[in-house]
Structures are given as structure tokens and as C-alpha cells.
Amino acid sequence: MCGRFALATEKNILDMLFNIELRTDFNVEPRFNIAPSQTVPILRISPEDGNREMAELKWGLVPFWAEDPKLGNRMINARAETVMEKPAFRDAFKKRRALVPASGFYEWKKEEGGKQPYFIGRKDKLPFSMAGLWERWEKKGVLMESFTIITTEANNLLSDLHNRMPVILPQECYDLWLNPLAGPEKLLPLLKPYSSEELTVYPVSRLVNSPANDNPGLVEPLQST
């Protein structure tokens, strides 16, 4: 699964990653402990003009048909294997796909003394994009836009930590993933484990367990004693 991640990179790096120029007033603050229900920047096709845009949406997808927006608390991830079938995700998979930028994500492993958090990122330390879906929910004058992160089976590097991992899309697949005309025969093959050779994983401080903690030290390797 993916229940916590970090996004700490410069605005110009995101410009190059997505081949866009972010608005000058769009501020991307470094964040090291992003948790569900928080507002997060994602890249999508604008529903207004059809262009790429970076927008800030709530993590935890609320289906447009939901009576209670609290349903989004259970929709932080969507399984790649069933994303076309589940009522909460199938319409968004067809029409509202997104890229969720990250500099790394966290996973926990049960060890002696409790669950130990690990940080997973690219070996070259560059940011990457996770496959996401977004939705617009509106009832009684309240408008909410939210998103979920698609997960797939873990690769060999991460399988000892968890049996799932977020779908990380290669940069050359961004255009296809965002293309509103792309069909499932082209999209589903993208939802696969990312190469183990390009990732690194190491233990970090258990301070990351609390979303109240958000500082650069959270992504630093845990010093052995």
C-alpha cells in the first residue's frame, strides 16, 4: 500500500519532470510526512480547459456518488487489479487520471521492539510520479476534489516489507497516462511493479509514525548504535 510519502523538491525540478511551467503563485513547500486527508499537489488534465495543471487535492478519493465524504478515509489507495471494476474508481480510471509527485514513500515492517519505518526513493534521489485517480464531489453547495494512489504487487526489493507498493510511472509514460482518449488496453500494462534496480530502501526514525512530525530528518537513514 501507500499510506505516507514525501515531496521535497524544487519547483523548477517539477517543471522539468512534468514538462510544464507552474504558476508563479503555486508554492510547493518541502514536505516529509504527507498523510491521508491532507491536501497534496497532483498533475492532471484541467476539467476547465483541457491543459495540464498542477492542482491541490485532498488525499482520500470521495466518489461523486458518495452520500458521506468520510468515505474517502478508506479510499487512499486503489488496487491495480480491480481499478476498472470497483464502483469507487472505475469512472475516474476512464476519465480522471493523475500523476502524484513524490520524492519517496514510507513502509513499515514488524521487527523486534515494534514496527520499523523504512523510506523508499530513487537511487539518484530524483522525484518520481505515482499513478493516481482524482474525483470531484459536490453536495449541498460543498465542493471537494480528492485523489487516490494506485498500488500493485511489491517488487523484489520491497516484498520483505509489504506485499504492495505504489505504481511508479516512468517519465516516458506520463503523456499516455494523462491522455483522456487512452483505453484500458494501453493503460493497464502500465500498472506494474517498478524496477528494484532503480530504488533504494533504508530504515528511518520512528518519529515519522506521527503526521505531526514533518522535517528533513525523517528521510535520513537511521543511525545504527
Side-chain angles (χ1 to χ4, degrees), residues 113-124:
K115 287 188 175 181
Q116 172 61 50
Y118 285 77
F119 185 76
I120 301 100
R122 285 176 55 122
K123 285 182 178 177
D124 58 14

Side-chain angles (χ1 to χ4, degrees), residues 10 44 126 138 159 162 165 176 181:
E10 296 178 4
R44 66 179 180 180
L126 290 175
E138 186 172 9
S159 58
H162 201 281
M165 69 177 293
L176 175 58
L181 301 179

Side-chain angles (χ1 to χ4, degrees), residues 36-55:
S37 80
Q38 294 181 355
T39 300
V40 184
I42 68 165
L43 189 80
R44 66 179 180 180
I45 299 299
S46 168
E48 275 70 43
D49 59 19
N51 295 320
R52 289 187 180 191
E53 70 168 5
M54 189 75 84

